[in-house]
Amino acid sequence: MCTSAAEAVSPYFSGERYELGRPESAPTTMWFKSILLLLAAASLGLSAPNARYSSTTRAGWQPTSPRTDRRSLLSRDTCTLPEEIPTAAPKANPFVALSQQEIDDLANWLLAPAQGLNLTSTSSPNISLSDNYIWHIDVLKPNKSDVLSYLDGSGAVPRYARVTLIQGGLRVPIVAEYSVGPLPISNSTQIGSLDNIYNGPNGARLLWSAGPVDPVRSAAIDNLMNMTLSPIADMTNDLLDMAFYGSSDNRSTMTYFMQSPASTDGERTLFWSPFRRNVMEPWDSPSDLYIQFDITGTDASLWTSLKAVYNLQVYDSVQDFYNAWKDGNVTKSPPPATDISFLYKNQTGPVRDLEDRFAPTILALDGNRFKVDRQEQYVEYLGWTFYMRFDYDVGVQFYDIKFKGERVLYELSLQDAIAQYAGNNPFQAGTGYMDRFYGIGASSIKMIPGYDCPYHSVYLDGNYSTTTQQAYTQDSAICIFETDIGTPITRHNNPVWAQATKGSQLVVRMVATVGNYDYLWDYGFFVDGTITVDAHASGYIQGNYFRPDDEGQWGPRVAETLAGTLHTHVMNFKADFDLIDEKNTFVKTDIVVENITQPWFTELGAFEMMRYNISDVETEDDGLINLPPNGQTMFTVVNKDQLNEWGVPRGYRVLPGLSNVILASQNSPFFLKNAQFAKQPIAVSRQHDNEPSSTATLNQNVPQAPLTEFYKFFDGESLVQQDLVTWVNLGMHHYTRAEDIPNTLMSEAHSSIMFAPQNWGNTELTKDLSNAVMMYAEGPENQIVIDTNGVEPPACLPLGPEDSLVGVFSVEG
Ligand SMILES: *[C@@H]1O[C@H](CO)[C@@H](O)[C@H](O)[C@H]1NC(C)=O
Ligand SMILES: *[C@@H]1O[C@H](CO)[C@@H](O)[C@H](O)[C@H]1NC(C)=O
Ligand SMILES: *[C@@H]1O[C@H](CO)[C@@H](O)[C@H](O)[C@H]1NC(C)=O
Ligand SMILES: *[C@@H]1O[C@H](CO)[C@@H](O)[C@H](O)[C@H]1NC(C)=O
Ligand SMILES: *[C@@H]1O[C@H](CO)[C@@H](O)[C@H](O)[C@H]1NC(C)=O
Ligand SMILES: *[C@@H]1O[C@H](CO)[C@@H](O)[C@H](O)[C@H]1NC(C)=O
Ligand SMILES: *[C@@H]1O[C@H](CO)[C@@H](O)[C@H](O)[C@H]1NC(C)=O
Ligand SMILES: *[C@@H]1O[C@H](CO)[C@@H](O)[C@H](O)[C@H]1NC(C)=O
Ligand SMILES: *[C@@H]1O[C@H](CO)[C@@H](O)[C@H](O)[C@H]1NC(C)=O
Ligand SMILES: *[C@@H]1O[C@H](CO)[C@@H](O)[C@H](O)[C@H]1NC(C)=O
Ligand SMILES: *[C@@H]1O[C@H](CO)[C@@H](O)[C@H](O)[C@H]1NC(C)=O
Ligand SMILES: [Cu+2]
């Protein structure tokens, strides 16, 4: 496709093009301010082949060497690879993941008899459920108060670890989180409770049975499954065309899965398992069988299967079910299809006309316009600066976001991504995932260049510590690129001038493949001071076994033995605005409609008109906020002590976007106190170091007794000119469809929110941009001036006749 464009005469500003473009009878003449560029361009010839790469193998293109000198751009006829522009963060990033040395030192310290924790090493060959051992050693997020005094002043941020111990050896077995510090380990290092940051009934702990499925528990569950299923393999082979003999046994043709949540309060752990064909993506090869298991307590010999459901018949035990089958009393429903070609994404079908051509792409032809300090995970972009943090739980997070040197947000971070399911079977009806529990950051993937992210993106690593005590680096977990927003950011035409300013944004992107789903999150930083968060989803739906009698109540049939599955995604974000400083107010501007009279409309009498009704959200009692119909409320965070030139408090608007949904069912037993953050579109609370997050990683299995109970944040405190946190939800009701097969489409599975300046400036904030054109007439002859502020398309970009600015603006003579 990369044929030379040399013969297509297409200068942007050449005298030749001017001649071509000027109508014979034009009453105006043209004059260019950008003389230097015009001359350079004219002398070098603007047209050039857009051959960006020298090599040729389809799989591994070799980039040309980065250009070293801006001027060389004009003397080349190919655009060059944008070089990464380094910068130095003003301060070292205070949010660094633990190093392997730190993790090892912490593990040794915890295991030392002096600590009295009676821990068994996780590498012990005979480790058992009734031992105490380490699950996760991670860094404890430092307190905002400490980070701010460090960023704005001096000193150091205290460094602590957050340690999760599985304590099966206690009289009442628990899983608990502790703080260990200060780091590095010294004689003053102590282990302490984290009850200060967890407000649930059991503080920083939950009953053991509601804990994570670590390798020890997982092996015991696998054994229970084998003990339950291998004796009935003759029946499962007959009814389901599948059997199970343990995950490591190559005779196993089916998989089991644990319903989440597996408990309500940790007292008892009961879960339903679906059974799926052991093929690529078992999610979409479900059968009609479900079995309930009780895995309460640390003595796995007491674990047992309970009920079974097959073809909507409920059996009190697996044995009852087996006996019924032996007696020929079981009515068979079709086993999951064996042909899974529908789950593949290989290109099939005739190629669409012209679709063999390479798709359009985003390119920074004139070089990058952002700078990155990789080591400090710090970014600068056209007035924006921010730090990033990465962790196992949620992945990338943003801190100290400033625009033109002024702080806008202290923190912008994902809290959790949850999903509420439904269906006429115990598994889908009982599913409420909280993906933070499974590690959203730990599920981050290496981006596919050119597909997940535009070519020439800057890729950053995501560092976090695993639950196997490894300091792990996910390379290319984040990509950063600048893109056109798709429209000019401002424009106008009038008889006197025509103007347009380019709209650009920096995007920081992360993708996490959590089991069946792929979440893509974009954080956008716009040239006008706007910040956006966009969430998209793809991957495989957790499909339902197709039953005609479900009659489309939870989704349409989408394959031979597969139906869609109604579910709602909610993703909670923490937006800790600090507009200039921490003293902020959350303001609602309602549009109210009233019958009024006005003295000049005597003939109308009372008539209906609208006006603003502006009110502060005064206390946390009013902090849980719904979206009004017809968008008739504007939500802003303002700083009443910081006025713009017009005397108006400077602020940012919280602008709901696409699909800001919340849980459709608010009283489901599977999402109770543990998911209160997902029950209103917006919430505003006072910032406190002991309320760092709307949820906790271990909230998944304790809907009734979570570590973090969000509503307890709302205890009547004043919100006027205080340090506030705004909690917002993105999400989607997933109305599954045939088009979810094989993979959900990111076009429709999309949600967004925007934070936009609202009287932040004295005017809009793009008047300083040079990537703008102003066209007007000047002088008695009405000479047309085309002023592009000295910024031109680089010489390597071939332009066509219709790309010319000449003749676009004219005045009537
Ligand atoms: C576990 O194994 C170690 C040796 O690897 C042995 O010394 C110890 O007695 C075993 N403990 C139990 C409870 O079996
Ligand atoms: C230490 O834990 C083991 C289980 O790992 C348990 O059998 C033992 O009783 C515990 N010792 C004390 C002193 O609590
Ligand atoms: C810690 O205390 C021990 C004795 O209790 C001492 O030998 C050691 O030097 C101390 N270490 C540090 C780092 O202070
Ligand atoms: C599962 O149980 C069967 C006996 O029913 C046994 O042959 C097999 O080895 C077990 N599988 C595993 C992985 O232990
Ligand atoms: C399954 O495993 C057994 C024992 O490890 C081996 O002999 C057999 O060849 C394997 N069968 C298949 C189909 O891989
Ligand atoms: C099977 O059905 C027959 C006839 O209804 C009944 O007598 C028998 O008890 C059933 N068997 C089982 C195991 O339920
Ligand atoms: C489709 O992709 C798979 C890889 O997942 C590959 O094994 C298979 O050969 C491909 N099939 C076709 C028809 O290209
Ligand atoms: C991430 O970890 C790698 C490997 O330990 C290290 O080289 C790199 O500096 C770390 N990056 C950051 C930003 O901490
Ligand atoms: C205004 O008055 C009209 C006529 O009485 C009534 O129909 C309408 O609902 C009123 N509007 C409001 C906002 O009260
Ligand atoms: C204006 O807002 C205040 C505070 O929410 C409320 O009390 C009042 O009723 C509103 N007025 C109108 C006309 O809606
Ligand atoms: C962080 O803040 C919490 C809550 O105020 C406090 O309990 C804790 O001690 C602080 N941590 C540090 C390291 O100061
Ligand atoms: Cu979905």
Side-chain angles (χ1 to χ4, degrees):
M1 284 313 105
C2 296
T3 53
S4 164
E7 60 279 0
V9 177
S10 55
Y12 190 63
F13 277 138
S14 76
E16 190 187 354
R17 178 73 191 107
Y18 160 67
E19 289 300 327
L20 287 172
R22 187 181 62 172
E24 281 312 309
S25 58
T28 56
T29 60
M30 312 259 176
W31 181 74
F32 302 101
K33 256 194 181 165
S34 310
I35 295 293
L36 265 178
L37 249 143
L38 172 63
L39 290 178
S43 65
L44 292 165
L46 275 169
S47 316
N50 191 10
R52 308 191 44 77
Y53 296 100
S54 55
S55 139
T56 53
T57 53
R58 274 188 75 177
W61 292 348
Q62 298 300 310
T64 56
S65 56
R67 77 167 196 261
T68 51
D69 171 347
R70 192 183 150 77
R71 249 173 315 155
S72 70
L73 186 71
L74 293 172
S75 64
R76 297 179 68 112
D77 59 2
T78 59
C79 289
T80 52
L81 190 64
E83 65 185 318
E84 188 177 321
I85 309 173
T87 187
K91 298 257 176 155
N93 190 321
F95 306 105
V96 184
L98 295 176
S99 68
Q100 191 61 54
Q101 188 65 53
E102 284 179 307
I103 294 170
D104 293 345
D105 290 350
L106 278 156
N108 289 334
W109 187 88
L110 290 162
L111 282 158
Q115 268 34 276
L117 293 166
N118 188 22
L119 298 184
T120 301
S121 163
T122 45
S123 57
S124 164
N126 53 6
I127 189 167
S128 81
L129 297 172
S130 54
D131 287 337
N132 306 312
Y133 52 90
I134 298 167
W135 167 238
H136 197 191
I137 299 176
D138 205 343
V139 70
L140 181 65
K141 202 184 275 196
N143 285 334
K144 177 178 180 180
S145 46
D146 290 329
V147 176
L148 280 188
S149 45
Y150 162 77
L151 288 174
D152 296 343
S154 58
V157 176
R159 188 159 171 81
Y160 280 75
R162 174 171 71 99
V163 172
T164 310
L165 300 182
I166 295 179
Q167 295 175 287
L170 299 187
R171 196 179 50 78
V172 177
I174 58 169
V175 175
E177 292 193 4
Y178 300 90
S179 82
V180 178
L183 301 180
I185 298 282
S186 72
N187 282 4
S188 55
T189 297
Q190 291 189 321
I191 182 162
S193 145
L194 274 177
D195 289 351
N196 54 345
I197 58 165
Y198 294 118
N199 63 14
N202 301 317
R205 61 197 68 72
L206 40 68
L207 292 173
W208 182 93
S209 294
V213 181
D214 66 288
V216 184
R217 203 180 303 210
S218 174
I221 293 170
D222 208 78
N223 187 51
L224 172 67
M225 289 291 165
N226 189 27
M227 280 166 32
T228 308
L229 293 161
S230 61
I232 59 167
D234 52 351
M235 176 177 74
T236 60
N237 271 322
D238 174 48
L239 297 177
L240 312 176
D241 182 30
M242 322 187 280
F244 187 79
Y245 296 93
S247 295
S248 60
D249 191 307
N250 64 10
R251 288 172 295 168
S252 293
T253 49
M254 71 180 179
T255 64
Y256 64 90
F257 191 77
M258 269 179 82
Q259 169 211 344
S260 296
S263 184
T264 55
D265 56 6
E267 293 283 351
R268 212 167 164 207
T269 302
L270 302 183
F271 73 88
W272 283 92
S273 174
F275 296 94
R276 299 157 169 164
R277 199 176 285 288
N278 188 14
V279 289
M280 181 195 74
E281 304 297 339
W283 311 96
D284 286 335
S285 297
S287 73
D288 206 7
L289 172 67
Y290 309 90
I291 299 177
Q292 187 185 35
F293 294 88
D294 184 341
I295 56 163
T296 305
T298 57
D299 184 353
S301 70
L302 302 176
W303 293 2
T304 183
S305 62
L306 299 173
K307 287 180 240 177
V309 171
Y310 176 74
N311 201 357
L312 295 191
Q313 297 302 304
V314 184
Y315 302 92
D316 285 341
S317 69
V318 173
Q319 192 61 48
D320 283 0
F321 176 34
Y322 189 75
N323 293 344
W325 173 73
K326 275 283 187 199
D327 277 9
N329 290 359
V330 172
T331 309
K332 205 168 161 178
S333 60
T338 50
D339 179 1
I340 59 153
S341 54
F342 71 104
L343 294 177
Y344 277 80
K345 181 65 185 174
N346 313 48
Q347 196 274 335
T348 53
V351 175
R352 300 183 204 180
D353 188 27
L354 300 184
E355 209 276 319
D356 55 339
R357 295 186 174 180
F358 185 71
T361 189
I362 301 159
L363 293 170
L365 298 175
D366 204 10
N368 284 335
R369 306 199 300 169
F370 61 94
K371 301 179 183 177
V372 178
D373 181 338
R374 283 179 175 268
Q375 191 49 46
E376 303 307 334
Q377 304 265 306
Y378 169 83
V379 174
E380 295 175 359
Y381 168 65
L382 302 186
W384 289 104
T385 57
F386 53 85
Y387 289 89
M388 291 178 290
R389 177 182 192 269
F390 200 95
D391 72 9
Y392 180 95
D393 289 350
V394 299
V396 70
Q397 302 144 59
F398 299 83
Y399 288 88
D400 195 24
I401 299 173
K402 291 181 173 171
F403 186 56
K404 300 190 181 183
E406 293 178 310
R407 186 168 293 141
V408 175
L409 285 144
Y410 168 71
E411 176 179 353
L412 174 60
S413 59
L414 176 68
Q415 302 294 296
D416 209 337
I418 70 174
Q420 177 174 66
Y421 284 74
N424 189 28
N425 64 66
F427 174 65
Q428 302 278 13
T431 293
Y433 293 122
M434 305 187 80
D435 282 344
R436 178 173 173 149
F437 181 72
Y438 307 97
I440 293 169
S443 307
S444 62
I445 50 85
K446 181 172 181 153
M447 299 287 196
I448 306 174
Y451 296 83
D452 285 335
C453 307
Y455 296 104
H456 304 164
S457 293
V458 167
Y459 295 90
L460 298 188
D461 296 341
N463 282 6
Y464 59 86
S465 57
T466 67
T467 51
T468 52
Q469 315 339 318
Q470 299 300 309
Y472 186 77
T473 299
Q474 175 56 62
D475 61 323
S476 301
I478 300 167
C479 68
I480 305 181
F481 57 91
E482 189 187 6
T483 178
D484 191 323
I485 66 170
T487 63
I489 192 104
T490 67
R491 78 162 325 286
H492 189 63
N493 262 63
N494 67 23
V496 181
W497 49 263
Q499 197 278 338
T501 303
K502 290 197 181 189
S504 310
Q505 63 165 320
L506 192 76
V507 176
V508 180
R509 175 170 293 177
M510 175 187 138
V511 173
T513 303
V514 186
N516 54 322
Y517 261 114
D518 300 72
Y519 297 103
L520 180 151
W521 288 288
D522 275 351
Y523 301 85
F525 301 87
F526 286 52
V527 285
D528 66 346
T530 299
I531 297 172
T532 53
V533 183
D534 283 70
H536 297 258
S538 189
Y540 286 90
I541 59 167
Q542 174 181 290
N544 227 336
Y545 178 76
F546 168 65
R547 294 193 58 90
D549 46 3
D550 283 350
E551 288 166 346
Q553 291 181 90
W554 295 279
R557 185 181 189 179
V558 295
E560 188 60 31
T561 55
L562 189 70
T565 176
L566 167 59
H567 60 278
T568 293
H569 298 270
V570 181
M571 306 166 203
N572 191 248
F573 288 84
K574 175 181 183 179
D576 179 353
F577 284 96
D578 279 4
L579 300 178
I580 314 289
D581 59 40
E582 293 112 279
K583 301 273 176 267
N584 295 173
T585 304
F586 195 89
V587 177
K588 290 202 294 182
T589 302
D590 298 329
I591 297 174
V592 294
V593 177
E594 300 165 318
N595 278 317
I596 52 129
T597 57
Q598 286 185 330
W600 40 85
F601 277 137
T602 49
E603 71 278 18
L604 289 180
F607 68 99
E608 204 175 83
M609 199 177 80
M610 61 182 177
R611 67 171 172 90
Y612 282 158
N613 185 28
I614 302 177
S615 58
D616 296 344
V617 175
E618 283 178 10
T619 73
E620 287 179 332
D621 293 339
D622 298 319
L624 304 176
I625 297 169
N626 271 312
L627 300 181
N630 198 35
Q632 271 180 229
T633 299
M634 172 172 70
F635 303 101
T636 48
V637 181
V638 305
N639 187 331
K640 295 189 176 192
D641 300 324
Q642 298 283 339
L643 309 182
N644 71 5
E645 195 179 313
W646 316 115
V648 181
R650 301 179 63 191
Y652 258 73
R653 183 173 175 191
V654 176
L655 189 58
L658 197 59
S659 193
N660 300 117
V661 308
I662 57 176
L663 290 178
S665 161
Q666 304 236 330
N667 302 300
S668 156
F670 307 107
F671 278 135
L672 292 168
K673 293 177 180 171
N674 62 338
Q676 290 167 336
F677 58 85
K679 299 187 177 184
Q680 56 289 309
I682 299 176
V684 188
S685 67
R686 273 277 277 282
Q687 193 282 330
H688 291 295
D689 284 343
N690 62 2
E691 294 174 357
S693 176
S694 63
T695 184
T697 303
L698 295 175
N699 265 17
Q700 166 74 79
N701 286 328
V702 276
Q704 291 178 4
L707 278 75
T708 298
E709 212 172 296
F710 183 59
Y711 284 170
K712 284 194 180 167
F713 294 4
F714 299 84
D715 52 359
E717 288 181 280
S718 167
L719 295 179
V720 178
Q721 288 302 90
Q722 301 290 346
D723 191 0
L724 306 183
V725 178
T726 303
W727 311 87
V728 297
N729 284 313
L730 269 60
M732 52 208 92
H733 299 303
H734 200 152
Y735 300 96
T736 52
R737 50 178 174 160
E739 287 78 8
D740 282 297
I741 304 297
N743 293 146
T744 293
L745 297 163
M746 292 214 189
S747 49
E748 182 266 349
H750 180 196
S751 178
S752 65
I753 196 161
M754 179 176 278
F755 307 121
Q758 183 76 17
N759 305 306
W760 183 247
N762 304 320
T763 72
E764 55 98 346
L765 302 165
T766 71
K767 291 185 69 175
D768 57 346
L769 293 182
S770 302
N771 274 263
V773 62
M774 180 75 179
M775 300 189 271
Y776 55 94
E778 195 173 70
E781 308 255 317
N782 272 343
Q783 286 181 313
I784 300 297
V785 180
I786 301 175
D787 187 358
T788 60
N789 306 301
V791 181
E792 310 291 348
C796 62
L797 173 64
L799 295 176
E802 290 181 292
D803 294 319
S804 176
L805 296 177
V806 175
V808 171
F809 178 75
S810 60
V811 290
E812 296 305 316

